[in-house]
Amino acid sequence: MNILVCVKQVPDTTEIKIDPVTKTLIRAGVPSIVNPYDGYALEVAARIKDKEGGKVVLLSMGPPQAKDAIKECLAVGGDKGYLVSDRAFGGADTLATSYTLTMAIKTVEELEGKFDIIFCGKQAIDGDTAQVGPEIAEHLGYPQVTYAVEAEMVNGELQVKRETEDGAELIGVQLPALVTVTKPHFEIRYPTVKSKLAANRAEIPTLTAADVKNVETGRLGLAGSPTKVKKSFTPDVSKKGVKIKEETGAESAKKLAALLSAAGVM
Amino acid sequence: MNKADYKNVWVYIENVEGTPKSVGLELLGPAREIAGAMGQKLVAVVISSAAEESVKAAVAYGADEVIVIEGPEYKDYTTDAYVNALYEVVQKYKPAALMIGATNNGRDMAPRVSSRIGTGLTADCTQLAYDAESDNVAWTRPAFGGNLMATILCPDTRPQIGTVRPGVFKKKTPDAKRKAEIVREKIHVPADQIRTKILKVFKEAGGEGVNLEDADVIVSGGRGLGKPENFKVVEELAKALGGVVGASRAAVDAEWISHAHQVGQTGKTVAPKLYIACGISGAIQHVAGMSGSDVIVAINKDPDAPIFDIADYGVVGDLFEVVPALTEEVRKLKA
């Protein structure tokens, strides 16, 4: 199987704090990580490779330091990585991003062969849109399965277990296909000393806008983005509530019950 | 693309086994206001093999017109058939805006429709408004784990499309006497053009679906519970109040309870009449999913926990003392 996994380097949003005075994001000192859902996607891909053979190629779009994220992925199942990086890609919304990645995938396929399956994380934890995967599938004209928790080849067919609101469904999908992955029920593999060393030494070719074949420049970056951010602000949901702290838990509970009852919410 | 050709505000009514999902009906509320401000019609779209109940509900909840695409190929959701159907009616009738519930299937379908058209899509919105100055829908959504809100416009292309989180807007009172125009479209997809097949369906273990979005009362547990067995104290209180059990990401990540119960940025957005947070610190990503609740109660032993900043009633104390005692009080009051 020839498999591609799209990965994004993101700020660890659980470490982001808001400046209480300026009400803006404090991004300094926030570590950059591989988007967790992309890590799950890589594990699902690597498990297919372990069983079926073949290779797992990584593709990331981002600034030059996103190579670090690719290297991390090379140590846990990836075989080869490519970075798509150019100032011309800056300010892209999901439509422009998915177009850029689609054209980059086609360029990489000339070197690595046509991919049978393209895996993406369900969403990236910075933007949380869950749009780029399905949009790549649309540009390529491929079928898709989103919210996957497992995927395996069964008698030549890709079968994907997909999370639904009230359980899951098993979906058979024709290849080539694109699959987006959410948190699976298994752990992702750890790097070994050897795999880390090899990943650190790996050459990661960078594709600039000029290297990506057949791109229409008007569809890249800010110019190619139909959505515009009008404003951003930090949510203020603070309330002046009632604090209850009686001698014992039971007394506090009694007081709370009385207040809730008086407020008519019970 | 001539923007002037695009008129009306559309709401996609997701339909499962003949029944409309709440989020579509919820969306008819804010969509009605936006359509009113634009001086245009509110149109509902139903794709189903059994559409009638959803059509009736869409009319009762305020649609001026309903477009129905009915056919056996729409029995279960498939990306290929549903995207094709929605794309075809959008191309034919040219709406100015299209709102889709941000369910798993809604978020599967919307980006394919928007990118097939080449228009903008805003994901997972929690506020909707009409920006009269620019004549655009103002789509507001959380990002960076709920730390930041962004208002997005789609100024140059049409339709403007957004997915909207379930549970954010409350359903209006339905009016069974309302009348609306019903437009029936025949769009058929040959079976060989549907490239996915549902082989098996798994209902969640434990039987009952977890319906957090429609609950009036939610009692949630977090890291403070310490271990999975302790969810019992939360369940007891939820039962006494006739509510549903929720959970923070910490509790779900620790696998104390299934993801279906998770409230927050990566879980569900809820706005019940009463939300009780037990042993939840109040990380921003949790708050992003429940701050719209009418009354918030926090029970936590750490007096500095951020959950107290957003609580109407904050009890500083050991949840293992407070919650069971509260359950007893509730039982007495309800008896």
Side-chain angles (χ1 to χ4, degrees):
Chain A
M1 302 294 290
N2 198 16
I3 303 172
L4 181 80
V5 182
C6 297
V7 297
K8 184 181 184 187
Q9 188 180 49
V10 294
D12 185 349
T13 53
T14 57
E15 298 291 323
I16 286 181
K17 299 273 184 300
I18 301 291
D19 184 316
V21 180
T22 63
K23 302 277 180 200
T24 52
L25 292 182
I26 305 170
R27 296 187 70 165
V30 176
S32 287
I33 57 171
V34 174
N35 175 44
Y37 294 107
D38 301 344
Y40 306 143
L42 173 57
E43 179 62 32
V44 170
R47 283 174 181 232
I48 292 176
K49 183 188 78 174
D50 291 348
K51 253 176 88 179
E52 311 289 332
K55 68 173 187 291
V56 172
V57 177
L58 304 158
L59 180 67
S60 186
M61 175 170 150
Q65 60 266 32
K67 277 190 180 175
D68 296 340
I70 296 175
K71 286 185 174 176
E72 265 184 61
C73 294
L74 285 171
V76 286
D79 296 298
K80 174 96 203 218
Y82 291 86
L83 177 68
V84 191
S85 188
D86 199 305
R87 286 192 178 276
F89 304 144
D93 72 357
T94 66
L95 188 67
T97 301
S98 61
Y99 171 73
T100 308
L101 283 167
T102 300
M103 299 315 282
I105 289 168
K106 289 181 178 175
T107 303
V108 170
E109 280 185 332
E110 290 185 8
L111 304 161
E112 300 290 343
K114 204 166 155 57
F115 296 110
D116 301 302
I117 315 171
I118 297 170
F119 283 105
C120 299
K122 169 186 80 163
Q123 63 195 48
I125 60 165
D126 52 353
D128 279 329
T129 73
Q131 288 171 191
V132 171
E135 289 174 354
I136 293 172
E138 177 61 30
H139 294 309
L140 289 169
Y142 286 2
Q144 73 187 32
V145 183
T146 51
Y147 297 92
V149 289
E150 284 170 27
E152 62 172 346
M153 294 299 297
V154 179
N155 302 325
E157 179 187 56
L158 180 64
Q159 295 192 352
V160 182
K161 190 169 176 185
R162 174 181 192 245
E163 199 174 76
T164 60
E165 270 92 13
D166 55 0
E169 55 194 13
L170 187 69
I171 293 183
V173 57
Q174 291 175 20
L175 298 183
L178 185 141
V179 177
T180 77
V181 179
T182 186
K183 191 174 193 283
H185 300 293
F186 43 77
E187 293 293 316
I188 64 172
R189 66 196 62 192
Y190 287 99
T192 61
V193 175
K194 202 175 141 210
S195 73
K196 264 189 168 167
L197 282 172
N200 275 331
R201 281 195 300 264
E203 278 289 322
I204 297 167
T206 300
L207 304 178
T208 64
D211 299 321
V212 180
K213 296 198 176 153
N214 306 315
V215 284
E216 297 167 41
T217 46
R219 295 177 71 181
L220 302 175
L222 198 59
S225 299
T227 59
K228 311 284 176 206
V229 179
K230 185 178 183 236
K231 60 169 181 178
S232 59
F233 55 99
T234 50
D236 185 10
V237 288
S238 59
K239 290 182 183 173
K240 281 261 166 288
V242 179
K243 270 271 177 74
I244 302 165
K245 195 177 182 221
E246 302 299 307
E247 284 293 306
T248 67
E251 284 169 46
S252 292
K254 203 164 193 153
K255 188 166 172 192
L256 173 62
L259 285 167
L260 290 176
S261 187
V265 288
M266 286 203 327
Chain B
M1 176 171 300
N2 183 0
K3 276 168 66 180
D5 294 342
Y6 290 77
K7 284 204 168 52
N8 300 333
V9 176
W10 285 18
V11 172
Y12 171 67
I13 309 290
E14 186 177 340
N15 174 299
V16 178
E17 290 165 6
T19 307
K21 283 210 151 194
S22 287
V23 62
L25 306 177
E26 290 162 17
L27 279 175
L28 289 169
R32 164 97 270 161
E33 282 171 35
I34 291 168
M38 290 165 67
Q40 298 180 358
K41 281 196 293 189
L42 172 61
V43 179
V45 184
V46 181
I47 303 172
S48 178
S49 62
E52 284 321 299
E53 200 187 313
S54 292
V55 172
K56 264 191 211 146
V59 177
Y61 282 94
D64 298 315
E65 186 183 315
V66 185
I67 298 173
V68 188
I69 302 134
E70 213 167 2
E73 61 267 66
Y74 306 115
K75 184 174 174 295
D76 296 307
Y77 174 81
T78 59
T79 310
D80 286 332
Y82 273 63
V83 167
N84 178 67
L86 189 57
Y87 173 78
E88 291 292 330
V89 288
V90 165
Q91 292 298 90
K92 182 168 176 183
Y93 294 103
K94 298 186 168 36
L98 167 60
M99 297 169 186
I100 297 172
T103 59
N104 287 15
N105 289 347
R107 295 179 86 189
D108 183 276
M109 175 170 72
R112 291 208 70 137
V113 172
S114 63
S115 54
R116 194 167 293 183
I117 297 164
T119 190
L121 172 63
T122 307
D124 229 12
C125 302
T126 55
Q127 292 169 37
L128 298 169
Y130 174 62
D131 184 50
E133 193 189 330
S134 66
D135 187 27
N136 287 304
V137 175
W139 312 87
T140 299
R141 64 182 306 267
F144 289 98
N147 287 286
L148 193 70
M149 303 293 289
T151 300
I152 314 280
L153 304 180
C154 176
D156 303 318
T157 56
R158 291 290 182 266
Q160 320 160 67
I161 309 181
T163 60
V164 184
R165 293 210 117 191
V168 173
F169 296 99
K170 298 206 167 145
K171 275 188 277 193
K172 297 269 185 279
T173 313
D175 175 1
K177 291 200 277 296
R178 283 192 82 252
K179 294 261 181 290
E181 191 187 340
I182 313 295
V183 178
R184 293 183 191 274
E185 285 292 328
K186 289 259 171 283
I187 298 168
H188 284 296
V189 186
D192 63 355
Q193 283 176 27
I194 300 173
R195 296 166 293 177
T196 55
K197 200 163 63 200
I198 299 173
L199 305 171
K200 203 169 163 186
V201 174
F202 310 86
K203 293 281 175 201
E204 198 200 345
E208 95 288 15
V210 185
N211 197 347
L212 285 168
E213 286 100 329
D214 290 333
D216 281 337
V217 178
I218 295 173
V219 185
S220 286
R223 202 193 301 272
L225 286 173
K227 53 184 174 183
E229 304 84 271
N230 289 341
F231 255 97
K232 206 161 174 43
V233 297
V234 170
E235 281 160 17
E236 290 289 320
L237 177 57
K239 208 163 123 193
L241 287 162
V244 177
V245 174
S248 71
R249 186 171 75 185
V252 173
D253 282 353
E255 297 186 356
W256 297 346
I257 191 164
S258 77
H259 179 68
H261 294 269
Q262 188 176 323
V263 172
Q265 175 73 357
T266 51
K268 290 180 174 135
T269 298
V270 296
K273 295 198 175 92
L274 175 61
Y275 188 94
I276 304 182
C278 309
I280 292 176
S281 66
I284 189 81
Q285 73 84 28
H286 185 74
V287 171
M290 46 67 82
S291 61
S293 307
D294 291 348
V295 173
I296 297 170
V297 174
I299 301 165
N300 202 302
K301 64 181 175 200
D302 174 7
D304 299 320
I307 191 79
F308 288 123
D309 298 339
I310 64 149
D312 298 280
Y313 302 96
V315 179
V316 182
D318 182 349
L319 77 92
F320 297 108
E321 290 173 21
V322 177
V323 177
L326 182 59
T327 306
E328 276 312 307
E329 293 296 325
V330 171
R331 283 186 185 137
K332 271 190 241 163
L333 282 165
K334 296 233 169 181

